[in-house]
Amino acid sequence: MSQQCAQGAKKANGILACIRNSVARRKDIGVLKQVQRRRTELGEGLESKFYEERLRELDLFRLKMRKLRGDLMTL
């Protein structure tokens, strides 16, 4: 196999690994969302409120915003 083919195969395998990891992360994110939603329901007097209101009262951000904040901190 030529060096150019080997480099192309290595790059392709790296991209496939990224795709595989991305799918796994989406599943993990779904689980994290469920845990956060359930946790906010446990607060006293919060069970009848909408999710966004519960987050505001508990001084929390949505998972998507926390992830974005973490990404910005690593820059």
Side-chain angles (χ1 to χ4, degrees):
M1 181 185 303
S2 72
Q3 186 176 1
Q4 187 177 7
C5 287
Q7 287 175 339
K10 184 177 179 182
K11 194 172 202 175
N13 284 332
I15 292 169
L16 288 173
C18 286
I19 292 169
R20 235 186 347 260
N21 291 338
S22 176
V23 170
R25 272 191 231 121
R26 276 190 236 136
K27 290 177 186 175
D28 291 343
I29 288 171
V31 170
L32 286 172
K33 283 180 180 179
Q34 288 176 339
V35 168
Q36 179 170 318
R37 189 173 288 274
R38 281 194 209 131
R39 167 53 189 103
T40 61
E41 291 172 350
L42 295 176
E44 193 170 314
L46 298 176
E47 37 311 299
S48 63
K49 297 188 179 190
F50 289 108
Y51 179 61
E52 295 292 331
E53 293 173 0
R54 294 191 308 256
L55 288 175
R56 227 176 288 119
E57 288 200 23
L58 293 170
D59 201 27
L60 295 172
F61 293 103
R62 297 181 75 181
L63 184 62
K64 185 176 183 177
M65 292 303 293
R66 290 199 328 256
K67 182 184 180 309
L68 176 63
R69 184 172 180 244
D71 289 347
L72 291 172
M73 292 172 96
T74 59
L75 292 178

